[in-house]
Amino acid sequence: MKKWGKRIGYGIGDLGCNLVFSTMASYLMVFYTDVFGITAAAAGTMMLVTKFIDAFTDTGMGLIVDRTHTKWGQGRPYFLLGAVPFAIFTFLTFYIPSWDDNGRLVWAYVTYCLLCTAYTVVNIPLNTIVPRLTSDIHERDILVSTRMVCALVGTAIVMTITEPLVRFLGHGNEAKGYLLTMTVYGIAAMCIFFVTFASTKEVVPPTINQKHSSLREDFKGLTGQAWILFLLNLFYFSLYVVRSTTVLYYFKYNLGRTDWMSLVGILGILSGLPMLFLLPALEKRYSKRNLMFFSIALYIAGDLLIFAGKNSAACLLVGLVVTGLGIYGIFGITFAMQPDVIDYSEYKKNASVAGLIAAFQGFFVKGGMGLTSFVIGAFLKNGGYVANAVQTEKSLSYIQICFIWIPIVLCALIAVCTYFYKLDGLRTEMTLELDARRGNRRS
């Protein structure tokens, strides 16, 4: 029971993050344009500009974590320090001041940047802490899978109750509804981060103190395997954005299944749960590399089943479930690789750069999501897509390319990166060597 307390305590940290992150991903643009009162162009520009700011804050936070050495550990203190600012900036981001258009736009920039920074303060440590919680490889896999399940639950909560909650709390006033809803989410996230802090303990120290190293030395600590991990994050989150963005277009316009919209959304979120539950057991028997290839094959098979069985309800439903299993398999394994990559930097380069690795992961994730959203939008526009209208043959073909064929290309790129991943065979050797170094430091 004590182990599960730690597992759930760690995992729900991502539930807290996703209560706000998933809401921003799904509803923030609509809030800014329809409620806050700024143009779509201004909101889009702001979100693009903040990605560059994120790049600096993510990297800075990663370097700070690597240089943090307290009685609470390296990453754990930031769950405590970041919790309250996270709640405050969530509230302020959805607060609408009684200013003119320029004043509100400045407010939007400042509060959104502060919220993204607060998110970075809690999320980067959440990504780095697993190698410090345990050196047991199977236990690490369970921690990562628990986190992925909790993240999925957070997304499901947001997608299920946000709109009804806005209506209920606002009583017809959307501005009030969004503000109160996000206040609830912010306070809930704050309490969750306190639980994550209280439930975890960093018991595995790094084998080297990074406190006095330079930025140049930190960069030298990144291995080729780290760059493979970064590319996997880039291509996975690009795949995630393509699938989640275009699935509704495909089912609405290409298949004419408008009555399936809710079902498609639910299957998209929940179909991956069985894979996330099974991954720890599978990772005991099979290498992460082979499981990644299997997950890629699952996604492609499900994708092709949807394409070939477009006139069969059974084929479409099975295809949605199979692609869900595949995409969340890729998701879980990518994050399960991260602790091994962190250990490999200590093993190979004698460098403790967990924070820097997490920072670059975040940069590639956000870059992939932003770039892919831009490409998909431009692609649909070039195909002649018109919202809520009968689409031309060209537009339908472009939607099909986006939903069916671009994901297959991204899966191929993930497979190529996975081919060069080599840490499964080194895992036992790395553990023994790093444990020996820690023993030498203590003696």
PDB file of all heavy atoms in Angstrom, residues 20-43:
ATOM      1  N   VAL A  20      -5.155  22.114 -16.101  1.00  0.00           N
ATOM      2  CA  VAL A  20      -4.979  23.442 -16.686  1.00  0.00           C
ATOM      3  C   VAL A  20      -4.424  23.352 -18.110  1.00  0.00           C
ATOM      4  O   VAL A  20      -4.901  24.025 -19.025  1.00  0.00           O
ATOM      5  CB  VAL A  20      -4.063  24.307 -15.801  1.00  0.00           C
ATOM      6  CG1 VAL A  20      -3.767  25.649 -16.464  1.00  0.00           C
ATOM      7  CG2 VAL A  20      -4.725  24.535 -14.441  1.00  0.00           C
ATOM      8  N   PHE A  21      -3.414  22.495 -18.323  1.00  0.00           N
ATOM      9  CA  PHE A  21      -2.773  22.395 -19.638  1.00  0.00           C
ATOM     10  C   PHE A  21      -3.773  21.956 -20.714  1.00  0.00           C
ATOM     11  O   PHE A  21      -3.830  22.542 -21.803  1.00  0.00           O
ATOM     12  CB  PHE A  21      -1.606  21.406 -19.580  1.00  0.00           C
ATOM     13  CG  PHE A  21      -0.868  21.254 -20.883  1.00  0.00           C
ATOM     14  CD1 PHE A  21       0.063  22.195 -21.283  1.00  0.00           C
ATOM     15  CD2 PHE A  21      -1.112  20.171 -21.710  1.00  0.00           C
ATOM     16  CE1 PHE A  21       0.736  22.062 -22.491  1.00  0.00           C
ATOM     17  CE2 PHE A  21      -0.438  20.029 -22.909  1.00  0.00           C
ATOM     18  CZ  PHE A  21       0.494  20.973 -23.302  1.00  0.00           C
ATOM     19  N   SER A  22      -4.585  20.931 -20.424  1.00  0.00           N
ATOM     20  CA  SER A  22      -5.559  20.450 -21.405  1.00  0.00           C
ATOM     21  C   SER A  22      -6.638  21.496 -21.665  1.00  0.00           C
ATOM     22  O   SER A  22      -7.131  21.632 -22.795  1.00  0.00           O
ATOM     23  CB  SER A  22      -6.206  19.151 -20.916  1.00  0.00           C
ATOM     24  OG  SER A  22      -5.271  18.104 -20.888  1.00  0.00           O
ATOM     25  N   THR A  23      -7.009  22.247 -20.627  1.00  0.00           N
ATOM     26  CA  THR A  23      -7.989  23.314 -20.819  1.00  0.00           C
ATOM     27  C   THR A  23      -7.415  24.398 -21.723  1.00  0.00           C
ATOM     28  O   THR A  23      -8.102  24.909 -22.620  1.00  0.00           O
ATOM     29  CB  THR A  23      -8.405  23.933 -19.470  1.00  0.00           C
ATOM     30  OG1 THR A  23      -8.843  22.900 -18.593  1.00  0.00           O
ATOM     31  CG2 THR A  23      -9.533  24.923 -19.665  1.00  0.00           C
ATOM     32  N   MET A  24      -6.153  24.751 -21.495  1.00  0.00           N
ATOM     33  CA  MET A  24      -5.516  25.755 -22.365  1.00  0.00           C
ATOM     34  C   MET A  24      -5.456  25.260 -23.803  1.00  0.00           C
ATOM     35  O   MET A  24      -5.709  26.013 -24.745  1.00  0.00           O
ATOM     36  CB  MET A  24      -4.121  26.086 -21.853  1.00  0.00           C
ATOM     37  CG  MET A  24      -4.109  26.876 -20.557  1.00  0.00           C
ATOM     38  SD  MET A  24      -2.502  27.624 -20.201  1.00  0.00           S
ATOM     39  CE  MET A  24      -1.459  26.179 -20.043  1.00  0.00           C
ATOM     40  N   ALA A  25      -5.114  23.983 -23.989  1.00  0.00           N
ATOM     41  CA  ALA A  25      -4.990  23.426 -25.329  1.00  0.00           C
ATOM     42  C   ALA A  25      -6.334  23.410 -26.053  1.00  0.00           C
ATOM     43  O   ALA A  25      -6.398  23.630 -27.264  1.00  0.00           O
ATOM     44  CB  ALA A  25      -4.406  22.017 -25.254  1.00  0.00           C
ATOM     45  N   SER A  26      -7.411  23.157 -25.327  1.00  0.00           N
ATOM     46  CA  SER A  26      -8.718  22.974 -25.958  1.00  0.00           C
ATOM     47  C   SER A  26      -9.579  24.234 -25.981  1.00  0.00           C
ATOM     48  O   SER A  26     -10.346  24.450 -26.921  1.00  0.00           O
ATOM     49  CB  SER A  26      -9.490  21.860 -25.233  1.00  0.00           C
ATOM     50  OG  SER A  26      -8.772  20.646 -25.256  1.00  0.00           O
ATOM     51  N   TYR A  27      -9.487  25.072 -24.939  1.00  0.00           N
ATOM     52  CA  TYR A  27     -10.457  26.143 -24.770  1.00  0.00           C
ATOM     53  C   TYR A  27      -9.867  27.557 -24.770  1.00  0.00           C
ATOM     54  O   TYR A  27     -10.619  28.535 -24.890  1.00  0.00           O
ATOM     55  CB  TYR A  27     -11.227  25.961 -23.451  1.00  0.00           C
ATOM     56  CG  TYR A  27     -12.109  24.743 -23.434  1.00  0.00           C
ATOM     57  CD1 TYR A  27     -11.691  23.574 -22.795  1.00  0.00           C
ATOM     58  CD2 TYR A  27     -13.369  24.751 -24.034  1.00  0.00           C
ATOM     59  CE1 TYR A  27     -12.500  22.447 -22.767  1.00  0.00           C
ATOM     60  CE2 TYR A  27     -14.182  23.631 -24.006  1.00  0.00           C
ATOM     61  CZ  TYR A  27     -13.739  22.479 -23.373  1.00  0.00           C
ATOM     62  OH  TYR A  27     -14.543  21.367 -23.351  1.00  0.00           O
ATOM     63  N   LEU A  28      -8.550  27.694 -24.628  1.00  0.00           N
ATOM     64  CA  LEU A  28      -8.001  29.034 -24.427  1.00  0.00           C
ATOM     65  C   LEU A  28      -8.202  29.937 -25.637  1.00  0.00           C
ATOM     66  O   LEU A  28      -8.527  31.120 -25.496  1.00  0.00           O
ATOM     67  CB  LEU A  28      -6.510  28.956 -24.062  1.00  0.00           C
ATOM     68  CG  LEU A  28      -5.885  30.274 -23.600  1.00  0.00           C
ATOM     69  CD1 LEU A  28      -6.581  30.793 -22.341  1.00  0.00           C
ATOM     70  CD2 LEU A  28      -4.387  30.098 -23.332  1.00  0.00           C
ATOM     71  N   MET A  29      -8.007  29.397 -26.841  1.00  0.00           N
ATOM     72  CA  MET A  29      -8.197  30.212 -28.047  1.00  0.00           C
ATOM     73  C   MET A  29      -9.641  30.709 -28.144  1.00  0.00           C
ATOM     74  O   MET A  29      -9.889  31.888 -28.446  1.00  0.00           O
ATOM     75  CB  MET A  29      -7.833  29.404 -29.296  1.00  0.00           C
ATOM     76  CG  MET A  29      -8.022  30.171 -30.601  1.00  0.00           C
ATOM     77  SD  MET A  29      -6.874  31.559 -30.817  1.00  0.00           S
ATOM     78  CE  MET A  29      -5.432  30.681 -31.401  1.00  0.00           C
ATOM     79  N   VAL A  30     -10.604  29.818 -27.875  1.00  0.00           N
ATOM     80  CA  VAL A  30     -12.012  30.207 -27.909  1.00  0.00           C
ATOM     81  C   VAL A  30     -12.288  31.256 -26.834  1.00  0.00           C
ATOM     82  O   VAL A  30     -13.022  32.237 -27.071  1.00  0.00           O
ATOM     83  CB  VAL A  30     -12.918  28.974 -27.699  1.00  0.00           C
ATOM     84  CG1 VAL A  30     -14.380  29.404 -27.570  1.00  0.00           C
ATOM     85  CG2 VAL A  30     -12.768  27.998 -28.852  1.00  0.00           C
ATOM     86  N   PHE A  31     -11.704  31.074 -25.650  1.00  0.00           N
ATOM     87  CA  PHE A  31     -11.891  32.046 -24.572  1.00  0.00           C
ATOM     88  C   PHE A  31     -11.356  33.420 -24.983  1.00  0.00           C
ATOM     89  O   PHE A  31     -12.031  34.437 -24.795  1.00  0.00           O
ATOM     90  CB  PHE A  31     -11.181  31.568 -23.307  1.00  0.00           C
ATOM     91  CG  PHE A  31     -11.096  32.605 -22.222  1.00  0.00           C
ATOM     92  CD1 PHE A  31     -12.205  32.899 -21.433  1.00  0.00           C
ATOM     93  CD2 PHE A  31      -9.921  33.310 -21.997  1.00  0.00           C
ATOM     94  CE1 PHE A  31     -12.138  33.878 -20.443  1.00  0.00           C
ATOM     95  CE2 PHE A  31      -9.841  34.289 -21.008  1.00  0.00           C
ATOM     96  CZ  PHE A  31     -10.956  34.568 -20.232  1.00  0.00           C
ATOM     97  N   TYR A  32     -10.144  33.447 -25.542  1.00  0.00           N
ATOM     98  CA  TYR A  32      -9.549  34.728 -25.919  1.00  0.00           C
ATOM     99  C   TYR A  32     -10.364  35.444 -27.000  1.00  0.00           C
ATOM    100  O   TYR A  32     -10.557  36.661 -26.943  1.00  0.00           O
ATOM    101  CB  TYR A  32      -8.118  34.529 -26.404  1.00  0.00           C
ATOM    102  CG  TYR A  32      -7.091  34.475 -25.297  1.00  0.00           C
ATOM    103  CD1 TYR A  32      -6.020  33.584 -25.360  1.00  0.00           C
ATOM    104  CD2 TYR A  32      -7.174  35.311 -24.192  1.00  0.00           C
ATOM    105  CE1 TYR A  32      -5.060  33.531 -24.350  1.00  0.00           C
ATOM    106  CE2 TYR A  32      -6.238  35.265 -23.179  1.00  0.00           C
ATOM    107  CZ  TYR A  32      -5.179  34.368 -23.255  1.00  0.00           C
ATOM    108  OH  TYR A  32      -4.246  34.320 -22.255  1.00  0.00           O
ATOM    109  N   THR A  33     -10.848  34.709 -28.011  1.00  0.00           N
ATOM    110  CA  THR A  33     -11.534  35.355 -29.128  1.00  0.00           C
ATOM    111  C   THR A  33     -12.995  35.662 -28.823  1.00  0.00           C
ATOM    112  O   THR A  33     -13.502  36.730 -29.190  1.00  0.00           O
ATOM    113  CB  THR A  33     -11.461  34.474 -30.390  1.00  0.00           C
ATOM    114  OG1 THR A  33     -12.020  33.184 -30.103  1.00  0.00           O
ATOM    115  CG2 THR A  33     -10.025  34.318 -30.855  1.00  0.00           C
ATOM    116  N   ASP A  34     -13.701  34.746 -28.140  1.00  0.00           N
ATOM    117  CA  ASP A  34     -15.147  34.881 -27.968  1.00  0.00           C
ATOM    118  C   ASP A  34     -15.556  35.508 -26.641  1.00  0.00           C
ATOM    119  O   ASP A  34     -16.679  36.002 -26.513  1.00  0.00           O
ATOM    120  CB  ASP A  34     -15.825  33.509 -28.088  1.00  0.00           C
ATOM    121  CG  ASP A  34     -15.691  32.904 -29.468  1.00  0.00           C
ATOM    122  OD1 ASP A  34     -14.964  33.483 -30.307  1.00  0.00           O
ATOM    123  OD2 ASP A  34     -16.275  31.846 -29.722  1.00  0.00           O
ATOM    124  N   VAL A  35     -14.664  35.454 -25.644  1.00  0.00           N
ATOM    125  CA  VAL A  35     -15.025  35.946 -24.311  1.00  0.00           C
ATOM    126  C   VAL A  35     -14.129  37.110 -23.895  1.00  0.00           C
ATOM    127  O   VAL A  35     -14.607  38.176 -23.501  1.00  0.00           O
ATOM    128  CB  VAL A  35     -14.946  34.807 -23.258  1.00  0.00           C
ATOM    129  CG1 VAL A  35     -15.394  35.320 -21.885  1.00  0.00           C
ATOM    130  CG2 VAL A  35     -15.807  33.622 -23.685  1.00  0.00           C
ATOM    131  N   PHE A  36     -12.818  36.907 -23.990  1.00  0.00           N
ATOM    132  CA  PHE A  36     -11.862  37.926 -23.566  1.00  0.00           C
ATOM    133  C   PHE A  36     -11.917  39.154 -24.475  1.00  0.00           C
ATOM    134  O   PHE A  36     -11.771  40.285 -24.022  1.00  0.00           O
ATOM    135  CB  PHE A  36     -10.451  37.326 -23.560  1.00  0.00           C
ATOM    136  CG  PHE A  36      -9.430  38.137 -22.824  1.00  0.00           C
ATOM    137  CD1 PHE A  36      -9.210  37.942 -21.469  1.00  0.00           C
ATOM    138  CD2 PHE A  36      -8.680  39.095 -23.484  1.00  0.00           C
ATOM    139  CE1 PHE A  36      -8.268  38.687 -20.787  1.00  0.00           C
ATOM    140  CE2 PHE A  36      -7.728  39.847 -22.814  1.00  0.00           C
ATOM    141  CZ  PHE A  36      -7.520  39.636 -21.455  1.00  0.00           C
ATOM    142  N   GLY A  37     -12.103  38.889 -25.800  1.00  0.00           N
ATOM    143  CA  GLY A  37     -12.319  40.005 -26.715  1.00  0.00           C
ATOM    144  C   GLY A  37     -11.111  40.456 -27.502  1.00  0.00           C
ATOM    145  O   GLY A  37     -10.987  41.640 -27.825  1.00  0.00           O
ATOM    146  N   ILE A  38     -10.198  39.540 -27.840  1.00  0.00           N
ATOM    147  CA  ILE A  38      -9.100  39.888 -28.739  1.00  0.00           C
ATOM    148  C   ILE A  38      -9.251  39.079 -30.023  1.00  0.00           C
ATOM    149  O   ILE A  38      -9.926  38.048 -30.048  1.00  0.00           O
ATOM    150  CB  ILE A  38      -7.708  39.650 -28.106  1.00  0.00           C
ATOM    151  CG1 ILE A  38      -7.528  38.182 -27.684  1.00  0.00           C
ATOM    152  CG2 ILE A  38      -7.495  40.563 -26.920  1.00  0.00           C
ATOM    153  CD1 ILE A  38      -6.171  37.881 -27.104  1.00  0.00           C
ATOM    154  N   THR A  39      -8.638  39.517 -31.090  1.00  0.00           N
ATOM    155  CA  THR A  39      -8.821  38.864 -32.388  1.00  0.00           C
ATOM    156  C   THR A  39      -8.095  37.521 -32.425  1.00  0.00           C
ATOM    157  O   THR A  39      -7.154  37.279 -31.662  1.00  0.00           O
ATOM    158  CB  THR A  39      -8.287  39.743 -33.526  1.00  0.00           C
ATOM    159  OG1 THR A  39      -6.849  39.857 -33.395  1.00  0.00           O
ATOM    160  CG2 THR A  39      -8.908  41.121 -33.496  1.00  0.00           C
ATOM    161  N   ALA A  40      -8.534  36.668 -33.341  1.00  0.00           N
ATOM    162  CA  ALA A  40      -7.898  35.363 -33.509  1.00  0.00           C
ATOM    163  C   ALA A  40      -6.435  35.527 -33.920  1.00  0.00           C
ATOM    164  O   ALA A  40      -5.558  34.777 -33.479  1.00  0.00           O
ATOM    165  CB  ALA A  40      -8.649  34.540 -34.549  1.00  0.00           C
ATOM    166  N   ALA A  41      -6.166  36.534 -34.781  1.00  0.00           N
ATOM    167  CA  ALA A  41      -4.791  36.770 -35.221  1.00  0.00           C
ATOM    168  C   ALA A  41      -3.907  37.176 -34.047  1.00  0.00           C
ATOM    169  O   ALA A  41      -2.776  36.693 -33.909  1.00  0.00           O
ATOM    170  CB  ALA A  41      -4.761  37.847 -36.302  1.00  0.00           C
ATOM    171  N   ALA A  42      -4.420  38.058 -33.185  1.00  0.00           N
ATOM    172  CA  ALA A  42      -3.643  38.492 -32.018  1.00  0.00           C
ATOM    173  C   ALA A  42      -3.412  37.339 -31.056  1.00  0.00           C
ATOM    174  O   ALA A  42      -2.313  37.178 -30.514  1.00  0.00           O
ATOM    175  CB  ALA A  42      -4.368  39.634 -31.309  1.00  0.00           C
ATOM    176  N   ALA A  43      -4.455  36.515 -30.851  1.00  0.00           N
ATOM    177  CA  ALA A  43      -4.318  35.369 -29.949  1.00  0.00           C
ATOM    178  C   ALA A  43      -3.325  34.351 -30.509  1.00  0.00           C
ATOM    179  O   ALA A  43      -2.483  33.808 -29.782  1.00  0.00           O
ATOM    180  CB  ALA A  43      -5.678  34.719 -29.724  1.00  0.00           C
TER     181      ALA A  43
END
